[in-house]
Amino acid sequence: DRLQALMESGVYREEGLTVAELAEKVGVPEHRLRKLINGALGYRNFSAFLNTWRIEEAKTLLADPAQARRQILQIALDLGYGSVAPFNRAFKAGVGETPTAFRRAALGS
């Protein structure tokens, strides 16, 4: 429950967030958090867990007409990615298309 609340509050937006830092914020040992993420929640690793949260918010932002002029780089940085390249890779792996193609389809342009 604490993990869910922290993630919903946007902790995943912190650039460079590590499993150790998140475990400290949740208040559990790192090995327990890894076991929860990999076992109970079914993610292959911490990065996949983090990217799921980031990509869901990215999809919302990219499909929002009010955000249409916002650069994809800025969205990536706001979601905790250090640059646009890892964001593009994670987005394409999770969604099946690039952020640009997703935005174009979502906004009908």
Side-chain angles (χ1 to χ4, degrees):
D1 289 340
R2 289 184 304 232
L3 175 61
Q4 184 71 23
L6 267 172
M7 296 307 283
E8 287 174 0
S9 76
V11 71
Y12 59 87
R13 291 186 197 105
E14 292 181 19
E15 184 179 346
L17 181 66
T18 66
V19 68
E21 291 168 343
L22 186 57
E24 188 176 317
K25 291 174 189 289
V26 174
V28 299
E30 183 179 333
H31 72 276
R32 283 197 45 217
L33 183 60
R34 282 186 189 277
K35 189 174 179 180
L36 173 67
I37 289 170
N38 298 349
L41 299 178
Y43 292 93
R44 71 179 186 279
N45 57 37
F46 176 69
S47 182
F49 171 71
L50 203 54
N51 281 333
T52 297
W53 284 88
R54 290 174 170 175
I55 297 306
E56 280 309 305
E57 183 172 352
K59 286 170 31 181
T60 300
L61 293 171
L62 291 168
D64 182 354
Q67 302 283 329
R69 293 203 174 283
R70 203 157 161 228
Q71 290 184 356
I72 289 175
L73 170 62
Q74 191 58 55
I75 291 171
L77 295 175
D78 289 349
L79 292 175
Y81 291 93
S83 68
V84 76
F87 171 67
N88 283 341
R89 276 193 303 276
F91 194 94
K92 186 159 187 176
V95 179
E97 60 186 338
T98 65
T100 302
F102 179 87
R103 174 184 262 176
R104 198 174 298 126
L107 299 177
S109 55

